[in-house]
Amino acid sequence: MVKFFADWLFSLGMENLNIVFANIITGTIIVALAFLSKFLFEKVVIKPIEHFIKKSPNKWDDILVRHHVLGRISLMIPAIVIVSFAPVFPMVEELIKRLSTAYLIFIAAVVMDAILEAITDAYQFLEISRDKPIKSYITVVKIMMYIIISVIVISILTNTSPWGILSGIGALTAILLVIFRDSLLGLVASVQISKNNLVSIGDWIEVPKYQADGDVIDITLTTIRIQNWDKTITTIPSYALISESFKNWKGMFQAGGRRIKRSVFIDTSSVRFIDDELFERLHRIQILQPYLDSRKREIEEFNRKNNIDVTESVNGRRMTNIGTFRAYLNAYLRSHPGTNKDLIIMVRQLQPTDAGLPLEVYVFSKDTSWVNYESLQSDIFDHIFAAVPHFGLRVFQNPTGNDMRSLGNIFDVKSIDREQSDRELS
């Protein structure tokens, strides 16, 4: 081909430059032919295949199209064409083959990269992907692949042995360790996270050090992305979950119950023994009747066996309004349709404080959804605050400014009455 163009240029009287121009024209035609081949390959082969894939009922093959796997394969066509015509240029044939081979190997790595991305996306559709993410492992494979490809490409371009290049890289190990520090730490952390099932995509976790509190939306080799409840996104290093403390709420969802742990403070001055009048009034509460009847028989039998003088209220055993209120709350929580009966249900007293006697409700809701959980918790305590006065109890509350003003008004009225009385006596 070069000789053909050289003879044609010689016939035009360009005998001094005919070889140079002949090589340029030939090279231009070969390059144009190479890219024309790529264009035809895309139109004749790739487009029909992609059209067929989009029409097929399978979804996994659509991932190949989305990641342009076939389009990246077409990038190999120009190099194949150029290598085929390399003998046309005997003086630079070896150089052309080396460059083209290096290009083909690099494009092969790009194609493998796209295939690995497609595999990662396809894996996300599997249920196991929540507990066993592979994105970090795929990233490690990519890093290793590009390192190997780089060594091979350099060995081809320099016409040296890959082992010689690797031995030279060995001297740079310390520098590479610094460069890939986060990747190496992330790799170790990812293996431990996956092996021990510490975190999965979709888990609600709290990492106080990084002010992260929300759902895990992505796990990579070096980072974990968390979408917080205010819709901001926090990115933390993977190894932070191994070296730092964090809380995973996954167990709550698996157990099927979300804990309610809140106290109501009772004014201790309102605690007293139950008299007959209060007993009769409380006996009209249906869910409390079995407890009152059983408790009354138990106490009367104990006092009779031990010859207790019941004329004095502090002698022997007696029911109190606070103890009866605890029994009522237990019965109420066990009968509530929103509580989980398979988990702990408890109402207990805590250490008294200057704010009163804490009465703690410890129960689990059936619904773990945040909105429904908060609604149930509010309903329970709405009922508790409304029920407290029925037991002769009062909820403790510090005096407000309005209370102080009312008290001041009372003193003012009394002062006026006293002055009037003094004037009348005088």
Side-chain angles (χ1 to χ4, degrees):
M1 183 180 292
V2 175
K3 186 176 182 305
F4 169 79
F5 286 112
D7 293 341
W8 177 64
L9 291 171
F10 183 80
S11 66
L12 295 176
M14 301 174 63
E15 62 277 3
N16 294 329
L17 299 175
N18 60 346
I19 296 297
V20 176
F21 278 112
N23 280 287
I24 293 174
I25 294 172
T26 303
T28 303
I29 292 174
I30 292 174
V31 170
L33 182 62
F35 284 97
L36 178 63
S37 301
K38 174 182 177 295
F39 176 77
L40 293 175
F41 183 80
E42 289 176 344
K43 293 295 182 182
V44 177
V45 179
I46 293 180
K47 291 298 182 182
I49 293 176
E50 289 183 346
H51 180 74
F52 174 78
I53 288 174
K54 291 178 180 179
K55 294 294 183 180
S56 68
N58 297 323
K59 297 299 181 182
W60 62 268
D61 50 5
D62 294 340
I63 299 175
L64 298 175
V65 176
R66 187 161 61 247
H67 288 279
H68 308 289
V69 174
L70 298 178
R72 296 185 183 188
I73 292 176
S74 66
L75 295 175
M76 294 182 175
I77 301 301
I80 294 173
V81 173
I82 291 173
V83 167
S84 301
F85 284 96
V88 174
F89 307 97
M91 295 183 63
V92 293
E93 178 182 357
E94 186 65 24
L95 178 61
I96 292 173
K97 287 183 176 180
R98 287 183 186 177
L99 293 174
S100 299
T101 302
Y103 174 80
L104 284 172
I105 293 174
F106 175 75
I107 296 300
V110 171
V111 173
M112 283 300 302
D113 190 316
I115 293 174
L116 291 173
E117 285 291 333
I119 291 173
T120 304
D121 276 6
Y123 183 76
Q124 301 300 322
F125 292 103
L126 302 178
E127 185 67 24
I128 193 176
S129 65
R130 287 177 52 85
D131 299 324
K132 301 293 183 182
I134 63 169
K135 193 168 185 178
S136 56
Y137 299 107
I138 295 295
T139 305
V140 173
V141 172
K142 287 183 182 180
I143 293 174
M144 298 300 296
M145 178 184 69
Y146 278 111
I147 291 175
I148 294 172
I149 292 298
S150 299
V151 171
I152 294 174
V153 167
I154 293 173
S155 68
I156 290 173
L157 294 177
T158 58
N159 196 24
T160 57
S161 171
W163 303 110
I165 297 174
L166 288 174
S167 62
I169 292 177
L172 302 176
T173 301
I175 298 176
L176 292 175
L177 287 176
V178 173
I179 295 174
F180 294 103
R181 172 182 174 274
D182 290 339
S183 298
L184 294 173
L185 290 174
L187 172 60
V188 175
S190 296
V191 171
Q192 293 185 17
I193 289 171
S194 177
K195 181 180 179 181
N196 299 318
N197 196 21
L198 298 180
V199 174
S200 305
I201 293 176
D203 286 357
W204 170 17
I205 67 172
E206 290 182 44
V207 190
K209 180 179 179 180
Y210 296 91
Q211 298 180 348
D213 183 10
D215 291 334
V216 176
I217 59 175
D218 191 23
I219 300 176
T220 66
L221 176 64
T222 57
T223 61
I224 294 178
R225 297 176 67 217
I226 302 169
Q227 185 173 49
N228 301 307
W229 298 122
D230 59 359
K231 299 306 179 183
T232 58
I233 295 177
T234 301
T235 302
I236 65 175
S238 299
Y239 55 82
L241 298 187
I242 305 300
S243 58
E244 305 291 341
S245 173
F246 76 99
K247 181 188 291 186
N248 192 334
W249 290 83
K250 176 165 54 179
M252 176 194 70
F253 295 103
Q254 292 175 344
R258 190 165 182 174
R259 187 182 68 175
I260 297 173
K261 185 174 180 287
R262 183 185 289 183
S263 298
V264 57
F265 288 81
I266 302 298
D267 188 342
T268 54
S269 64
S270 65
V271 177
R272 62 186 176 90
F273 293 115
I274 292 180
D275 54 22
D276 292 339
E277 181 185 353
L278 182 56
F279 182 88
E280 291 301 326
R281 179 152 57 88
L282 295 179
H283 198 269
R284 292 196 292 270
I285 302 175
Q286 293 182 347
I287 62 173
L288 198 54
Q289 289 173 0
Y291 168 80
L292 289 174
D293 293 337
S294 172
R295 190 71 167 169
K296 184 178 180 180
R297 288 193 302 268
E298 178 187 343
I299 291 175
E300 288 177 347
E301 184 179 354
F302 175 86
N303 290 337
R304 186 178 62 253
K305 286 183 177 180
N306 292 276
N307 297 319
I308 302 297
D309 180 9
V310 296
T311 58
E312 181 61 44
S313 59
V314 295
N315 289 337
R317 296 175 59 187
R318 287 183 183 272
M319 284 187 286
T320 61
N321 57 352
I322 187 72
T324 305
F325 185 54
R326 283 192 297 108
Y328 166 75
L329 290 183
N330 265 300
Y332 170 73
L333 294 174
R334 292 186 183 281
S335 63
H336 198 292
T339 59
N340 192 324
K341 312 305 184 295
D342 297 327
L343 299 175
I344 294 175
I345 296 178
M346 178 175 60
V347 180
R348 61 174 180 166
Q349 288 186 20
L350 300 180
Q351 180 73 22
T353 68
D354 55 359
L357 176 63
L359 203 62
E360 184 183 75
V361 172
Y362 195 102
V363 68
F364 290 83
S365 66
K366 278 184 179 178
D367 197 333
T368 57
S369 169
W370 188 14
V371 175
N372 296 336
Y373 160 79
E374 292 292 350
S375 177
L376 173 66
Q377 184 171 227
S378 298
D379 287 344
I380 289 175
F381 276 85
D382 289 346
H383 184 88
I384 290 175
F385 283 113
V388 166
H390 288 268
F391 291 80
L393 296 166
R394 292 189 303 272
V395 175
F396 181 88
Q397 181 172 313
N398 288 317
T400 64
N402 187 55
D403 295 330
M404 301 305 292
R405 283 193 296 270
S406 299
L407 187 61
N409 292 335
I410 293 174
F411 283 120
D412 289 341
V413 171
K414 288 183 176 181
S415 177
I416 292 171
D417 291 342
R418 189 179 300 109
E419 289 177 359
Q420 289 178 350
S421 299
D422 292 341
R423 282 196 299 268
E424 290 174 358
L425 290 174
S426 61

